[in-house]
């Protein structure tokens, strides 16, 4: 009998699996590509105070991609990314918005 029982690792069911989501910046990039609209999607990054880490567009984009992945989308048509200095609860806030799409290959 071993002193230490073998550890069994069970798959974690509480952590969602995020699939890669491509970002298209122009509707012309989707010409001849059949797709289904999965809805509007956004991502935010909040800088709480002037001393906090700055809010970045790249973090907002990444969060938008994660949100699109949760909608079973594999692409986003990007509408806009902006930095807002008047957001409630944030010193500065980066926000990205787009349409989540399921593009057929």
């Amino acid at each position: 009998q071993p002193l230490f029982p073998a550890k069994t690792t069970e798959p974690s069911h509480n952590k969602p699996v995020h699939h890669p989501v491509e970002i298209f910046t122009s509707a012309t990039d989707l010409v001849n590509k059949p797709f289904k609209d999965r809805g509007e999607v956004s991502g935010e990054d909040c800088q709480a105070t002037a001393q906090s880490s700055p809010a970045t567009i790249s973090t907002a984009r990444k969060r938008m991609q994660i949100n699109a992945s949760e909608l079973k989308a594999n692409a986003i048509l990007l509408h806009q990314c902006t930095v807002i200095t008047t957001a409630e609860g944030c010193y500065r806030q980066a926000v990205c918005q787009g349409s989540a799409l399921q593009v057929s290959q």
Side-chain angles (χ1 to χ4, degrees), residues 78-96:
L78 181 65
H79 299 309
Q80 69 174 356
C81 286
T82 56
V83 176
I84 304 167
T85 57
T86 58
E88 189 175 325
C90 297
Y91 176 74
R92 286 174 34 134
Q93 184 177 30
V95 179
C96 289

Side-chain angles (χ1 to χ4, degrees), residues 21-33:
V21 176
E22 184 175 0
I23 295 181
F24 292 97
T25 56
S26 172
T28 58
D29 296 336
L30 293 165
V31 172
N32 297 326
K33 293 182 181 176

Side-chain angles (χ1 to χ4, degrees), residues 36-59:
K36 290 181 183 175
D37 191 336
R38 296 285 185 185
E40 294 296 306
V41 67
S42 66
E44 298 87 24
D45 187 20
C46 176
Q47 178 181 353
T49 68
Q51 291 76 32
S52 302
S53 298
T56 65
I57 295 288
S58 63
T59 299

